[in-house]
Amino acid sequence: QVQVAESGGGLVQPGGSLRLSCAASGSISSISVMGWYRQAPGKQRELVATITNPGIKVYGDSLKGRFTISRDNAKNTVYLQMNSLKPEDTAVYYCNARVVLNPRVTYDYWGQGTQVTVSS
């Protein structure tokens, strides 16, 4: 079993910042990718940012420059620094960990999400 837990969400004013954390734990041999996705009411889940063990980063459209993803591989932890937040960033942010089960099989584990609300 693998557990994924997010933290750091909350209420922030437009233009403010938040730092999200996500830690994966349990029976993990290795993780190939960890990242963040978000889902706003009435919208589908979308990519925010992902990072591989070698440190390759991918950001969702329009987010690069405001959001920064980083990781601590030794702790199976990723972070998301969110700056210049806008009301449209309001969503539940979910953490994903792609766990390598064997050389040919991976499985995506998801956290329960943390709410980010940007409002004045």
Side-chain angles (χ1 to χ4, degrees):
Q1 289 290 307
V2 176
Q3 295 79 45
V4 177
E6 310 97 332
S7 63
L11 176 65
V12 64
Q13 293 185 336
S17 299
L18 284 174
R19 181 177 172 86
L20 306 183
S21 299
C22 171
S25 61
S27 300
I28 301 173
S29 59
S30 65
I31 295 176
S32 61
V33 186
M34 293 188 73
W36 294 92
Y37 297 76
R38 69 185 184 185
Q39 188 166 22
K43 294 189 175 182
Q44 65 182 19
R45 189 170 298 187
E46 65 175 344
L47 168 71
V48 177
T50 62
I51 185 168
T52 66
N53 280 330
I56 299 172
K57 301 175 182 179
V58 176
Y59 291 93
D61 292 343
S62 80
L63 298 179
K64 186 176 182 180
R66 295 193 299 120
F67 291 10
T68 303
I69 190 169
S70 60
R71 90 284 190 216
D72 183 341
N73 286 342
K75 298 179 179 180
N76 288 329
T77 299
V78 295
Y79 308 93
L80 184 69
Q81 179 66 45
M82 304 186 294
N83 298 324
S84 301
L85 285 163
K86 305 174 182 179
E88 50 263 44
D89 295 319
T90 295
V92 177
Y93 285 69
Y94 296 92
C95 179
N96 170 260
R98 179 164 291 175
V99 177
V100 180
L101 303 180
N102 62 56
R104 299 179 63 186
V105 179
T106 62
Y107 186 85
D108 287 349
Y109 290 88
W110 294 87
Q112 66 179 3
T114 185
Q115 177 71 47
V116 172
T117 302
V118 184
S119 176
S120 59

